[in-house]
Amino acid sequence: MAGEKKDVRIFETDDELSDGLAKYTVEIFRKLTQQKSNFTVVLSGGYLIQKLRKLVEPPYVDEIDWSKWHVFWVDERVVMKDDPDSNYRLANEGFLSKVPIPPAQIYAINDNLDAEGAADDYEAKVKELVEHGVVDVSPHTKFPRFDLMLLGIGHDGHLASLFPNHELLQEKEKWVTFIKDSPKPPPVRITFTFPVINASAYIFMVVAGTAEVDAVKKAVEVILNYLNFINVVNWPKERGEELGIGDIWKSTKRRGTLRNVTYITDDIRREAQTMSLIDHPNVVKGYCSFVVEHSFG
């Protein structure tokens, strides 16, 4: 899949967005299951689940062999599964209960553990599935390589439970970590780390709503300003690392390229031209926390 690029797809209405998301999910499922028997999908919370509504309706629901699906969460609030704040509950009521995925292939967090214990337990679960061949591994990074991440984005640009300017943006070793001071309630959560998100084969970022669009637009502008400045002044590596943008420096020097990312958007026709600039080689971090799959050539 090397060499595949980001694609921006804009829809006029919410129904068209939901239909497009279902269509592209079916396409990726068909493509990847020609090569293997498992299809590993990572869900987020928020508005993303509601946007999946067309996937559980004909014709799309009948075009998927749901027995091949293995479902994970990019992040979860450390609450009981029946709590209104639970991402599991949201996904179960709006999506999972409507399709015949085997219950043993739906991997929720252990809600009997505290944040640190739940994060360690979820990482151990993913590692076990890697050992059993259910989840692939990125040959480049050795992090788990999920087939498809279906993600939304927050008003402030946060992805998963990784928030702008938070210290967890710098986590490079763990697969799953926890946060106890989330800027958005509830404060205690677990989350996949950026290296895991980055290792995904495909990421669908569903950007719906004016505030979310503004976050994407501002992030792109900041990234391009950094890159232009770095190129002009021959940015020293140490200074980039000091400011927390070392990866941008590295990708500029090593020709990092985005790949395998689809932005599925509505209400953003005015931003389409700006968003297309994301093809510029970069790794996003620091200001806005949506980081997408990249490869170094």
Side-chain angles (χ1 to χ4, degrees):
M1 288 176 277
E4 295 187 33
K5 292 185 178 180
K6 174 274 309 164
D7 185 15
V8 178
R9 308 187 187 197
I10 301 172
F11 301 91
E12 295 284 356
T13 68
D14 189 68
D15 273 349
E16 290 178 0
L17 183 151
S18 181
D19 191 76
L21 179 57
K23 175 184 176 182
Y24 305 138
T25 299
V26 170
E27 288 178 359
I28 297 302
F29 169 78
R30 287 176 172 172
K31 177 177 181 178
L32 295 187
T33 53
Q34 289 178 354
Q35 308 162 17
K36 57 180 190 158
S37 59
N38 295 326
F39 186 62
T40 54
V41 178
V42 179
L43 302 176
S44 63
Y47 60 78
L48 183 279
I49 299 302
Q50 194 267 346
K51 306 303 179 189
L52 290 174
R53 63 187 183 275
K54 295 287 187 179
L55 191 59
V56 301
E57 299 174 357
Y60 304 113
V61 69
D62 301 319
E63 296 178 8
I64 288 177
D65 181 352
W66 295 99
S67 69
K68 295 184 177 182
W69 275 50
H70 291 255
V71 178
F72 304 80
W73 276 263
V74 72
D75 71 327
E76 178 60 284
R77 291 83 179 271
V78 182
V79 297
M80 302 305 290
K81 291 185 180 69
D82 60 356
D83 190 285
D85 284 328
S86 167
N87 282 342
Y88 169 84
R89 174 177 172 174
L90 178 68
N92 187 58
E93 292 179 350
F95 176 55
L96 298 175
S97 63
K98 301 177 181 182
V99 291
I101 300 172
Q105 294 169 200
I106 297 173
Y107 307 100
I109 74 164
N110 187 336
D111 56 2
N112 292 314
L113 300 174
D114 63 11
E116 185 173 5
D120 290 344
D121 180 76
Y122 209 59
E123 180 166 325
K125 184 180 298 183
V126 175
K127 287 182 175 179
E128 180 181 358
L129 293 169
V130 166
E131 292 176 0
H132 293 165
V134 175
V135 178
D136 295 333
V137 174
S138 168
H140 305 294
T141 68
K142 307 305 179 185
F143 282 95
R145 186 177 186 83
F146 294 99
D147 294 324
L148 175 62
M149 285 207 177
L150 297 167
L151 306 179
I153 187 171
H155 291 185
D156 60 354
H158 80 269
L159 177 72
S161 284
L162 299 167
F163 292 86
N165 301 313
H166 196 279
E167 62 184 7
L168 289 186
L169 301 181
Q170 310 304 324
E171 177 58 58
K172 304 291 187 183
E173 303 296 330
K174 293 181 179 178
W175 294 9
V176 184
T177 189
F178 64 95
I179 180 172
K180 292 187 175 181
D181 58 350
S182 167
K184 180 180 179 181
V188 183
R189 302 155 175 247
I190 75 165
T191 182
F192 279 143
T193 59
F194 273 152
V196 173
I197 296 172
N198 284 349
S200 301
Y202 290 89
I203 302 172
F204 286 179
M205 288 202 63
V206 182
V207 184
T210 301
E212 289 81 1
V213 168
D214 288 343
V216 172
K217 178 178 182 292
K218 192 167 186 178
V220 172
E221 290 173 346
V222 170
I223 295 159
L224 294 178
N225 286 338
Y226 273 142
L227 289 172
N228 290 335
F229 184 61
I230 290 167
N231 288 334
V232 169
V233 303
N234 191 24
W235 192 273
K237 176 180 179 181
E238 292 75 14
R239 182 59 175 154
E241 291 176 346
E242 178 184 342
L243 295 181
I245 58 170
D247 281 356
I248 292 180
W249 182 90
K250 294 173 188 175
S251 67
T252 302
K253 298 299 181 182
R254 297 171 62 190
R255 294 174 24 217
T257 56
L258 302 184
R259 51 177 289 192
N260 301 342
V261 181
T262 296
Y263 294 82
I264 298 178
T265 65
D266 70 347
D267 192 28
I268 63 168
R269 184 166 299 282
R270 62 189 174 84
E271 309 296 358
Q273 185 174 4
T274 300
M275 290 183 67
S276 69
L277 295 174
I278 249 173
D279 270 331
H280 195 296
N282 64 75
V283 179
V284 184
K285 52 180 300 195
Y287 173 77
C288 178
S289 57
F290 74 91
V291 172
V292 291
E293 176 73 1
H294 64 280
S295 61
F296 290 128

